[in-house]
Amino acid sequence: MTSLLVTGGAGFIGSNFVHWALNNTDATVTVLDALTYAGNTANLGGLPEERFELVAGSVTNPGLVNELVEAHDAVVHFAAESHNDNSLEGPGVFIETNIVGTYHVLQAVRQFGKRLHHISTDEVYGDLELDDPAKFTAQTPYNPSSPYSASKAASDHLVRAWVRSFGVEATLSNCSNNYGPRQHIEKFIPRQITNLIDGIRPKLYGAGENVRDWIHVDDHNSAVWGILQKGRIGETYLIGADGEKNNKEVVELILQLMGRKPDDYDHVTDRPGHDLRYAIDSTKLREELGWEPQYTDFSEGLKDTITWYEENEAWWRPMKDTTEAKYAAKGQ
Ligand code: NAD
Ligand code: TDX
């Protein structure tokens, strides 16, 4: 597979994937991205012109999707509306992009006989109790909680149906919470880092006991590459790096790394329907494809991420006031 079409490649994980693929493989990459509030052309700066192209457009435009899919060997489908809080305010666009958009991608790979890797999330499985010894596996029943996770679950079902009914050559992956450079500052970790740079106290939803299973974005993307190369068609691989931490622990670590007192944060209004805990069992990915995460020290990865936001204020500054105003209006 030498030519890749990467949907949503101007966003957080997609842009890191594009950098990763151009640095670590000889693939050429075309990004199809609608450049919504979450897409940023600055994420794709400095890439080699002879191996990279950006097409501004939507996965909900079947003519454009068909034209681009036909011209490439494989599609890596990251494009999505990705923020749970936004899905509670306005679910419609999540249905359009995440479900209808995936439908158009599937119809195109079906028509032109192309390989697809579909990027999904652990949130499709719902949540776990804090003391549940079981983690999510590919056998865990779907039980999504929010409009975002329900739309991702729907897109996964479409992919599996297109594999079974039409013989589409697709793989799926469901990853846990990513952190790293270029993540939109509406998300938990970059919001707190940029708050602290601005002298604002971090904002913890509810009691802060909710657990997320953190993975560095480069580890997610090395797994995606492995699945694209060696994954079995029709299979689902769960991607996670054994990084469970509750939100309070994460905020305390950010405060410590940024030289503040550990209790220098505020508890704010909780997210409605807030999932309690996610945890990934990635045994299948590790044993079948030999994948291993490189970022095994969360504190080190977080330190690098803090440095990235400190050094790239021009990247996030234009979004900060609008993002915080939206949260303030909800008491968050
Ligand atoms: P993001 O919001 O940072 O980026 C999404 C990108 O998709 C943006 O560049 C946006 O402009 C683009 N996009 C939105 N609508 C589009 C449309 N209609 N057509 C084309 N492009 C469109 O999201 P992210 O965090 O990078 O997530 C990428 C993918 O990974 C999503 O599918 C998400 O569900 C999945 N995922 C994310 C995480 C996480 O922790 N962030 C974890 C697991 C899975
Ligand atoms: O200010 C905040 N305070 C806070 O306590 C924000 C923005 C979030 N939180 C909490 C909510 C969650 O328990 O932090 C946790 C992480 O929140 P988000 O960054 O919004 O991520 P989450 O809802 O867990 O979803 C993320 O991981 C799975 C991504 O946004 C999804 O795209 C992915 O599918």
Side-chain angles (χ1 to χ4, degrees), residues 12 16 179-183 189-190 193 197 216-219 253-254 257-258 294-312 316:
F12 164 46
N16 279 290
Y179 73 97
R182 307 187 190 94
Q183 184 168 32
I189 287 179
I193 295 171
I197 292 172
H216 193 278
V217 63
D218 286 347
D219 283 332
L253 187 54
I254 295 173
L257 291 170
M258 294 183 75
Q294 299 301 308
Y295 290 80
T296 47
D297 183 337
F298 180 62
S299 177
E300 280 299 310
L302 199 53
K303 206 155 86 185
D304 292 350
T305 305
I306 291 169
T307 304
W308 190 87
Y309 283 92
E310 285 171 342
E311 289 177 351
N312 290 277
W316 57 265

Side-chain angles (χ1 to χ4, degrees), residues 117-294:
H117 182 68
H118 175 66
I119 304 290
S120 193
T121 170
D122 59 358
E123 298 193 15
V124 298
Y125 301 113
D127 57 357
L128 298 163
E129 292 301 326
L130 293 179
D131 60 356
D132 192 333
K135 297 183 174 192
F136 298 140
T137 71
Q139 280 69 49
T140 305
Y142 274 41
N143 188 24
S145 314
S146 74
Y148 162 67
S149 48
S151 69
K152 292 297 292 187
S155 71
D156 293 7
H157 291 317
L158 293 182
V159 176
R160 292 198 187 92
W162 261 242
V163 170
R164 177 150 175 180
S165 302
F166 305 123
V168 159
E169 291 197 14
T171 42
L172 302 89
S173 57
N174 298 75
C175 189
S176 58
N177 283 62
N178 286 219
Y179 73 97
R182 307 187 190 94
Q183 184 168 32
H184 195 283
I185 56 165
E186 68 189 352
K187 301 283 169 37
F188 179 52
I189 287 179
R191 182 182 182 207
Q192 314 314 335
I193 295 171
T194 54
N195 274 353
L196 282 167
I197 292 172
D198 277 356
I200 304 169
R201 283 156 68 96
K203 309 293 179 206
L204 207 48
Y205 291 177
E209 283 167 1
N210 306 64
V211 171
R212 296 295 182 263
D213 190 352
W214 293 100
I215 182 173
H216 193 278
V217 63
D218 286 347
D219 283 332
H220 181 179
N221 284 328
S222 68
V224 168
W225 184 260
I227 297 165
L228 201 54
Q229 298 300 311
K230 300 183 284 183
R232 286 180 293 134
I233 298 304
E235 289 294 314
T236 295
Y237 296 88
L238 271 63
I239 307 173
D242 297 326
E244 282 187 72
K245 296 237 173 308
N246 74 32
N247 294 336
K248 189 165 162 292
E249 291 172 302
V250 174
V251 159
E252 285 169 352
L253 187 54
I254 295 173
L255 282 161
Q256 185 202 318
L257 291 170
M258 294 183 75
R260 315 294 162 101
K261 286 191 292 185
D263 60 351
D264 202 6
Y265 60 83
D266 296 327
H267 290 280
V268 295
T269 311
D270 206 352
R271 173 186 286 172
H274 196 173
D275 279 341
L276 186 54
R277 173 175 165 238
Y278 307 137
I280 291 272
D281 177 347
S282 61
T283 309
K284 175 176 171 181
L285 176 70
R286 290 171 192 252
E287 291 188 349
E288 204 179 299
L289 303 185
W291 173 85
E292 276 183 15
Q294 299 301 308

Side-chain angles (χ1 to χ4, degrees), residues 89-102:
E89 302 294 312
V93 68
F94 287 71
I95 306 303
E96 281 302 317
T97 293
N98 300 0
I99 306 179
V100 179
T102 300

